Amino acid sequence: MTTTLLRTADELHARVREGRRAVVMTMGALHEGHATLIRAAREIAGNGGEVVVTVFVNPLQFGAGEDLDRYPRTLDADLKVAEQAGADIVFAPSVDEVYPGGEPQVRITAGPMGERLEGASRPGHFDGMLTVVGKLLHLTRPDVALYGQKDAQQLALIRRMVRDLNFGVEIVGVPTVREADGLALSSRNRYLSAAERRTALALSQALFAGRDRHAAQEALRARAREVPATRARAEALSALGESRAAADAAAVAKATPGAAAVRAAARQVLDEAARMDPPLALDYLALVDPSDFTEIDDDFTGEAVLAVAARVGATRLIDNLPLAFGTDETPGTREAHSASGPDSAPASTATHETPGAAS
């Protein structure tokens, strides 16, 4: 398969379409995370469909002092990655093609969810992200668009935009891709020195610590539910020592609220990383409801997202993991990967830089 490079929307619209068109939006500097998205798009589009990869470094989503000029531009290498992963087209428009006449005066606003976490750290970022995603959806006219779940808040906002503004496109979330040491794949990882990378591993390690604590809490709660309901059964099980174990599990589960325990386990890892050389500078650690990205309470039931953002040296990194509280449901199954139309819920979770997240 030979991947075609197109620069204008007119060139893209002139192509004869057969089957479904699946779009993967990126800011270039493609890595294995992006390749995973492209392969997923290829599978969705099928042999008779078309996979379009957009490469566009969006100036609207970079704030003052952020790394717009520093952001890597590697189009030749990106073409090779896209081709090997199964893309039919790389659409790499100029700024003038996407924003004819200069920056748009009318933009999409992310609303209250866009002001939290990443939005609080990077004011205006999500407005710029949604504006360019909306533009690229119109320019590429896909049936389905795929985004990485590492950028969980971004994915949730894109789903919300599609729902609220009636975009006729299906949105698919693809799980985060990690390197062997657990670090989420990101174009920004190349900025890390060897020492900085050792410190940066604390992001994923904190999430894994929170996940492990959560799993232990959920196991205790499940064990507590097995406490015998009758005296006769309790006496019978007592001979096996099970009733005491169940009672202990009930006491522990009741004494340590799940959300608080998860936050504490993750925070301990991050606090230790803050004392490393070089240190990790925490931006936020949050355990949130994916429907609005507000912090969950200790009695929360349902899907949640444990999210972290921090700086190591001059590089800012983000990561997250989905968790499910008080339910047998696997995190992410509520969405079943995708959402489109007015009845679809916002994303439950989110490493791939799209014209949206330059992380």
Side-chain angles (χ1 to χ4, degrees):
M1 174 184 291
T2 300
T3 299
T4 301
L5 175 64
L6 301 179
R7 295 285 192 174
T8 70
D10 286 343
E11 292 175 312
L12 185 58
H13 298 166
R15 289 178 64 91
V16 176
R17 293 182 58 172
E18 296 180 0
R20 302 181 81 194
R21 175 177 285 174
V23 166
V24 174
M25 297 183 183
T26 83
M27 293 210 301
L30 302 189
H31 49 62
E32 179 56 29
H34 298 103
T36 299
L37 280 168
I38 297 167
R39 287 192 291 268
R42 180 78 273 162
E43 183 175 350
I44 290 172
N47 292 331
E50 186 175 65
V51 175
V52 178
V53 177
T54 69
V55 175
F56 180 67
V57 181
N58 177 37
L60 296 191
Q61 69 195 63
F62 287 82
E66 292 191 334
D67 53 1
L68 175 60
D69 293 335
R70 187 183 177 209
Y71 199 83
R73 274 82 165 173
T74 57
L75 184 58
D76 290 342
D78 294 343
L79 282 167
K80 293 179 182 178
V81 173
E83 184 169 276
Q84 291 171 357
D88 298 291
I89 298 166
V90 167
F91 177 53
S94 66
V95 173
D96 289 339
E97 177 72 13
V98 177
Y99 301 121
E103 291 190 3
Q105 296 185 35
V106 177
R107 307 186 186 193
I108 297 174
T109 300
M113 182 164 44
E115 298 172 357
R116 300 174 184 132
L117 299 188
E118 284 298 291
S121 298
R122 307 173 66 189
H125 165 73
F126 284 126
D127 292 354
M129 178 275 292
L130 290 178
T131 297
V132 77
V133 168
K135 293 270 289 185
L136 288 172
L137 287 175
H138 289 312
L139 291 172
T140 60
R141 301 175 183 175
D143 300 292
V144 57
L146 296 87
Y147 302 90
Q149 292 181 344
K150 189 200 76 172
D151 300 299
Q153 193 172 2
Q154 170 183 272
L155 178 57
L157 283 164
I158 292 172
R159 290 187 191 273
R160 190 77 203 195
M161 177 183 72
V162 166
R163 174 186 177 185
D164 288 353
L165 301 184
N166 300 100
F167 279 69
V169 62
E170 179 185 1
I171 302 300
V172 173
V174 177
T176 298
V177 177
R178 299 185 180 279
E179 300 193 43
D181 56 10
L183 189 66
L185 277 173
S186 171
S187 299
R188 293 187 175 186
N189 291 352
R190 68 184 66 193
Y191 300 149
L192 299 169
S193 68
E196 288 171 341
R197 185 184 175 92
R198 286 193 293 272
T199 298
L201 290 175
L203 273 77
S204 56
Q205 290 168 353
L207 296 178
F208 298 155
R211 178 197 61 192
D212 293 346
R213 178 65 61 86
H214 169 69
Q217 289 290 119
E218 291 297 307
L220 286 173
R221 292 182 190 283
R223 188 70 184 88
R225 288 193 292 270
E226 298 175 5
V227 174
T230 66
R231 178 183 295 274
R233 187 161 184 257
E235 290 175 350
L237 290 175
S238 182
L240 300 175
E242 291 187 15
S243 61
R244 176 60 183 274
D248 288 347
V252 173
K254 183 176 180 181
T256 310
V262 170
R263 290 188 185 96
R267 173 72 68 169
Q268 181 177 355
V269 175
L270 296 170
D271 287 346
E272 292 172 358
R275 296 187 290 271
M276 293 179 68
D277 183 20
L280 179 142
L282 182 65
D283 190 343
Y284 62 76
L285 171 69
L287 185 56
V288 298
D289 182 337
S291 68
D292 58 10
F293 272 71
T294 58
E295 290 280 353
I296 67 170
D297 297 325
D298 288 332
D299 59 353
F300 178 85
T301 299
E303 294 187 27
V305 173
L306 181 61
V308 63
R311 288 188 181 275
V312 182
T315 304
R316 186 175 185 275
L317 301 170
I318 64 172
D319 202 351
N320 74 83
L321 280 179
L323 300 173
F325 286 82
T327 174
D328 294 332
E329 191 173 281
T330 300
T333 56
R334 181 179 62 186
E335 293 297 328
H337 282 302
S338 65
S340 62
D343 296 326
S344 300
S348 59
T349 66
T351 179
H352 325 281
E353 283 69 19
T354 69
S359 54

